[in-house]
Amino acid sequence: MDDIVVIGVGMIPFGKHQNLSIYDMGRQAIWNAIQDADLDPRKIGHAYVSNSLAGPLQGLENTRGQFVMREAGFSGIGVTNVENACASGTNAFRGACLEVASGASDFALAVGVEKMLIGDNVRTLGAITGAASPLYASLGYQFTAGYAMKIKKYMAKYGLSREDIARVVVKNTYNGSLNPLAYQRTPRTLEEVLSARLVADPLTLYMCCPNSDGAAAAIVCRERTARQLTSRILPRVVACSLGSGRLPGTGDTSISTTTLVARSAYEAASIGPADINFVELHDAMAPAELIEIEELEVCQPGEAAIWLREGVTSLGGKVPVSPSGGLAARGHPVGATGLAQVAELVWQLRGEAGERQVPEAKVGLALNQGGRVDTEEAAAYCVTILKR
Amino acid sequence: MDDIVVIGVGMIPFGKHQNLSIYDMGRQAIWNAIQDADLDPRKIGHAYVSNSLAGPLQGLENTRGQFVMREAGFSGIGVTNVENACASGTNAFRGACLEVASGASDFALAVGVEKMLIGDNVRTLGAITGAASPLYASLGYQFTAGYAMKIKKYMAKYGLSREDIARVVVKNTYNGSLNPLAYQRTPRTLEEVLSARLVADPLTLYMCCPNSDGAAAAIVCRERTARQLTSRILPRVVACSLGSGRLPGTGDTSISTTTLVARSAYEAASIGPADINFVELHDAMAPAELIEIEELEVCQPGEAAIWLREGVTSLGGKVPVSPSGGLAARGHPVGATGLAQVAELVWQLRGEAGERQVPEAKVGLALNQGGRVDTEEAAAYCVTILKR
């Protein structure tokens, strides 16, 4: 899919939206994307709607995407409801790209919507966990614990301190403070992060992404189609690779699935990890960022904490990581997150990211993960690369 | 997507499978399709998994498709979970076709799995209805009533008798009796259909599709790819069009969305309705068949009951309708139905349908619908045309 570009993106601020339904949020994100694309909405041929939790949390199953599109004023167009847990958003984006690349539609929309703050965090937690693995949920497993164990192991391997992992939050909450669409806009000091309530050792409160409401959308088309409409910068989708966790004992398990999917994305894009200018990561728990940029082979194993300490991954550094603030600062409305990542890549590549702009952003990568990423059980991994 | 063909299909008998999970059923259907295709399964690049009710009925949300593929022995490949209520199956099939047409994968699998007989039909009914419209479900609406009202209106318009609509069941249960994979294999007489328990006037028990467990799968690739592997008949996917119910008051509401989607499919296939040899319909309530073949413009308005009476739509007739038995006889495991329709088209086009074979089958059409098809509210309509 060489010639697919993003012609417009839209998003609403992530956070608490007590008076907005998934339909209200979806409509706003969709119309923000349409206005951004400056496109006649009747040209959109198909919509991919990403939502993960409206079923278990609100009883809205199946054709909820048709309702989202209807409430946005669309009538008659095909709608595909896509689910891949926390990776649903980029999976919907991938669907929109294939829709255009196959010739089925000239313009396709991907929209992610999620309402998590239903006034019952215990129920929300149960739904997220159950979505990943009903068996483990019934055994008391939840995501924070899974990440905590993975991060502890990683810390032990490279002799990292609590300060080393807390520093991710200092960087990302600073980035988030510059992002008007982020949920958490207060920069945190190292001391604040370390002294915050312990959630699951070694993770403190500010290391964990907040349950959030939100929506984000993107519209894609062929480059030559877009060029007839606009002379603006059109970020090209040079890769959108999706993989699943592997069966235990198959292949080389010393290489993570994230690495395999990233390699396939680099190959599709005909680039290497050294060509990546900036990265948006799936830091559901902020310290996971360190593991993830190593898995993406953007830095060497064990190097991530050093890069962080030396400012390489800060906004002014060589490879800024999560300029948006990432999941822990921007918020993580599950089905919307992947499309917020795509929106951030687009804004950065167009040079429209304001105070958090990455200088000379040319190639951006987003990693979106879903399911039990600690054990890879039935998990989904999506690597998207956009290039200006 | 001119050159996409179905290289293999698989299905398990629809019915009660008390000892099989969705994973067990999925595995069997997937491996039946792999064996049918005579394909090295490692060549399959991506899977689209269709399931509608495992969330509300069994707490299996989101990455359940990854579990299905894992239990079938697949490791690492990308999986997209697709939902579109009763139209989920053909929507997954469409995803697999676009996957290949876009060049993202050489071979793609679509599989539909559903477990409805969980020992609590009231809960199953609630889940199906809620999936279509939580609002209407809370008001007491359910599908049988919606279809009953639509069919009553249709009967009044053309002065049809109860015998006229019951005759659909006589035809379809006869077809189903010839299909070893059908749930209901007892042919019913006109008298039996008419004297069966009234469910929602004018619908009697045998007119309503049974809740069912089941799974079905299909593998697609480019024709030139398949030709390197086999010399068998390879049914081509000449159209797979998906649309949604329109907003009230938009466009010409005297034309149904089914008609609009069918016209777009005919255009994509460069054929007309007169070229269709046989049809698989979405007869969740058997008499809906009459409305549907008119909406597909396969026959003229008001002509369907005459065709039925005169045997035009019988197995030996000019345009056999639902040779498999249709939803009411074959059974309707929601997420699997669309892929069972695709499998039936393939078997018919390959001349492998045994006692229910349509003579000289050349072009087959499947109509798959999901959501509130009576009012079109947020409903999904998919028309697939295969050609040998």
Side-chain angles (χ1 to χ4, degrees):
Chain A
M1 43 180 199
D2 279 353
D3 58 346
I4 307 298
V5 297
V6 185
I7 190 172
V9 290
M11 186 176 157
I12 65 166
F14 284 1
K16 277 188 200 179
H17 292 300
Q18 211 152 357
N19 296 318
L20 299 182
S21 69
I22 59 167
Y23 310 126
D24 298 321
M25 294 190 288
R27 182 179 59 242
Q28 291 180 23
I30 290 165
W31 279 92
N32 286 345
I34 292 168
Q35 281 170 0
D36 181 51
D38 193 17
L39 184 72
D40 177 349
R42 287 169 295 194
K43 292 190 173 174
I44 295 170
H46 202 97
Y48 288 78
V49 181
S50 152
N51 170 267
S52 179
L53 299 168
L57 293 183
Q58 302 186 279
L60 308 170
E61 300 273 355
N62 281 295
T63 57
R64 58 203 181 281
Q66 278 81 351
F67 282 101
V68 168
M69 294 308 296
R70 194 181 76 148
E71 295 293 315
F74 284 78
S75 180
I77 68 164
V79 176
T80 297
N81 291 279
V82 168
E83 274 192 20
N84 252 350
C86 301
S88 300
T90 46
N91 198 9
F93 180 71
R94 183 175 185 272
C97 292
L98 298 191
E99 179 82 23
V100 173
S102 69
S105 296
D106 292 333
F107 293 87
L109 172 88
V111 56
V113 291
E114 207 69 71
K115 186 151 198 76
M116 297 174 78
L117 297 162
I118 57 160
D120 183 346
N121 281 337
V122 174
R123 197 163 156 222
T124 300
L125 178 67
I128 300 167
T129 314
S133 169
L135 172 63
Y136 281 77
S138 70
L139 294 171
Y141 165 89
Q142 44 90 356
F143 274 94
T144 325
Y147 270 100
M149 290 186 278
K150 189 174 176 177
I151 289 161
K152 266 204 150 170
K153 202 172 148 190
Y154 173 78
M155 290 170 73
K157 188 172 177 185
Y158 294 112
L160 300 187
S161 65
R162 294 182 67 227
E163 284 74 15
D164 285 324
I165 63 165
R167 215 168 270 127
V168 177
V169 185
V170 177
K171 170 177 72 69
N172 287 358
T173 54
Y174 171 74
N175 293 355
S177 77
L178 306 177
N179 182 355
L181 299 170
Y183 187 0
Q184 306 292 348
R185 302 204 56 203
T186 311
R188 303 289 174 188
T189 64
L190 199 59
E191 179 51 35
E192 281 175 311
V193 178
L194 288 170
S195 62
R197 177 162 66 80
L198 195 67
V199 175
D201 182 36
L203 302 172
T204 68
L205 184 65
Y206 296 139
M207 297 181 186
C208 309
C209 70
N211 289 342
S212 322
D213 304 330
I219 302 170
V220 296
C221 64
R222 287 189 191 279
E223 187 164 17
R224 58 176 179 271
T225 314
R227 272 290 160 249
Q228 293 166 3
L229 300 172
T230 179
S231 58
R232 83 195 304 186
I233 294 166
L234 293 166
R236 277 170 51 214
V237 187
V238 289
C240 191
S241 298
L242 183 69
S244 303
R246 287 160 297 163
L247 282 172
T250 54
D252 180 356
T253 48
S254 71
I255 303 172
S256 77
T257 302
T258 299
T259 302
L260 293 178
V261 175
R263 286 181 186 173
S264 121
Y266 296 138
E267 198 189 326
S270 303
I271 60 170
D275 299 313
I276 303 294
N277 275 153
F278 69 104
V279 178
E280 280 290 320
L281 290 183
H282 196 89
D283 57 325
M285 309 301 149
E289 159 175 324
L290 302 171
I291 302 173
E292 292 171 12
I293 55 166
E294 294 180 11
E295 288 179 338
L296 292 170
E297 301 180 306
V298 167
C299 68
Q300 298 300 309
E303 201 176 32
I306 304 165
W307 275 29
L308 176 64
R309 207 161 42 221
E310 295 178 350
V312 179
T313 55
S314 298
L315 268 182
K318 197 181 129 230
V319 188
V321 170
S322 296
S324 72
L327 275 58
R330 186 184 55 218
H332 180 27
V334 174
T337 284
L339 284 153
Q341 293 180 325
V342 169
E344 182 69 14
L345 297 191
V346 168
W347 287 320
Q348 293 286 353
L349 293 169
R350 293 199 316 219
E352 297 171 1
E355 290 183 275
R356 66 185 192 285
Q357 180 64 47
V358 173
E360 311 217 23
K362 290 216 168 61
V363 186
L365 178 150
L367 171 65
N368 194 197
Q369 299 176 330
R372 283 206 62 196
V373 292
D374 53 339
T375 61
E376 296 201 350
E377 186 195 28
Y381 302 81
C382 193
V383 172
T384 306
I385 303 176
L386 300 193
K387 196 172 174 179
R388 67 167 282 183
Chain B
M1 44 179 197
D2 277 354
D3 58 347
I4 306 298
V5 298
V6 185
I7 189 171
V9 290
M11 186 175 156
I12 65 166
F14 284 1
K16 277 188 201 179
H17 293 301
Q18 211 152 358
N19 296 318
L20 299 182
S21 69
I22 60 167
Y23 310 125
D24 299 321
M25 295 191 288
R27 183 179 58 241
Q28 292 180 23
I30 290 166
W31 279 92
N32 286 345
I34 291 168
Q35 281 169 0
D36 182 50
D38 194 17
L39 183 73
D40 177 348
R42 287 168 296 193
K43 292 189 173 173
I44 295 170
H46 203 98
Y48 287 78
V49 180
S50 149
N51 169 267
S52 179
L53 299 168
L57 292 183
Q58 303 186 280
L60 307 170
E61 299 273 356
N62 281 295
T63 57
R64 59 201 180 281
Q66 276 82 349
F67 282 101
V68 168
M69 294 309 296
R70 194 182 75 147
E71 295 293 313
F74 283 79
S75 180
I77 67 165
V79 177
T80 297
N81 291 280
V82 168
E83 275 192 22
N84 252 349
C86 301
S88 300
T90 46
N91 197 10
F93 179 72
R94 184 175 185 274
C97 293
L98 298 192
E99 180 81 24
V100 173
S102 69
S105 296
D106 291 334
F107 294 86
L109 172 87
V111 56
V113 292
E114 206 70 72
K115 187 150 197 76
M116 298 174 77
L117 297 162
I118 56 160
D120 183 346
N121 281 338
V122 174
R123 197 164 156 221
T124 301
L125 178 67
I128 301 167
T129 313
S133 170
L135 172 64
Y136 280 78
S138 69
L139 295 171
Y141 165 88
Q142 42 90 359
F143 274 95
T144 325
Y147 270 101
M149 288 186 279
K150 188 173 177 178
I151 288 161
K152 265 203 150 169
K153 200 172 149 190
Y154 173 77
M155 290 171 74
K157 187 172 179 186
Y158 294 112
L160 301 188
S161 66
R162 292 183 67 227
E163 285 74 11
D164 285 324
I165 64 165
R167 214 168 271 127
V168 177
V169 184
V170 177
K171 170 177 73 68
N172 287 358
T173 55
Y174 172 75
N175 294 355
S177 77
L178 306 176
N179 182 357
L181 300 171
Y183 188 178
Q184 306 290 348
R185 303 203 55 202
T186 311
R188 305 290 175 185
T189 64
L190 199 60
E191 178 50 36
E192 282 176 311
V193 178
L194 289 169
S195 62
R197 177 162 66 80
L198 195 66
V199 174
D201 183 36
L203 302 173
T204 69
L205 184 65
Y206 296 138
M207 297 179 186
C208 308
C209 69
N211 288 342
S212 321
D213 302 331
I219 302 170
V220 297
C221 64
R222 289 189 190 279
E223 186 164 18
R224 57 177 181 270
T225 314
R227 272 290 160 248
Q228 293 167 2
L229 300 172
T230 180
S231 58
R232 84 195 303 187
I233 294 166
L234 292 165
R236 277 170 51 217
V237 186
V238 290
C240 191
S241 298
L242 182 68
S244 303
R246 287 160 297 163
L247 282 172
T250 54
D252 181 356
T253 49
S254 70
I255 303 172
S256 78
T257 301
T258 299
T259 302
L260 293 179
V261 174
R263 285 181 187 172
S264 119
Y266 295 138
E267 196 189 326
S270 304
I271 60 171
D275 298 312
I276 303 293
N277 274 152
F278 68 104
V279 179
E280 281 289 321
L281 291 183
H282 196 91
D283 58 324
M285 310 300 151
E289 159 174 326
L290 302 172
I291 301 173
E292 291 171 12
I293 55 166
E294 295 180 10
E295 288 179 336
L296 292 170
E297 300 181 306
V298 167
C299 70
Q300 297 300 310
E303 200 176 32
I306 303 165
W307 274 30
L308 176 66
R309 206 160 44 223
E310 294 178 351
V312 178
T313 55
S314 297
L315 266 181
K318 197 180 130 231
V319 187
V321 170
S322 296
S324 72
L327 275 57
R330 186 184 55 217
H332 180 27
V334 174
T337 284
L339 283 152
Q341 293 180 324
V342 169
E344 182 69 15
L345 296 191
V346 167
W347 288 319
Q348 292 287 353
L349 293 170
R350 295 199 313 220
E352 297 170 2
E355 290 184 273
R356 67 183 191 286
Q357 180 64 47
V358 174
E360 312 216 20
K362 290 214 168 62
V363 185
L365 176 150
L367 171 65
N368 195 196
Q369 300 176 329
R372 286 207 59 196
V373 293
D374 54 338
T375 61
E376 296 201 351
E377 187 196 26
Y381 303 81
C382 192
V383 172
T384 306
I385 304 176
L386 300 192
K387 196 172 174 180
R388 67 166 284 182

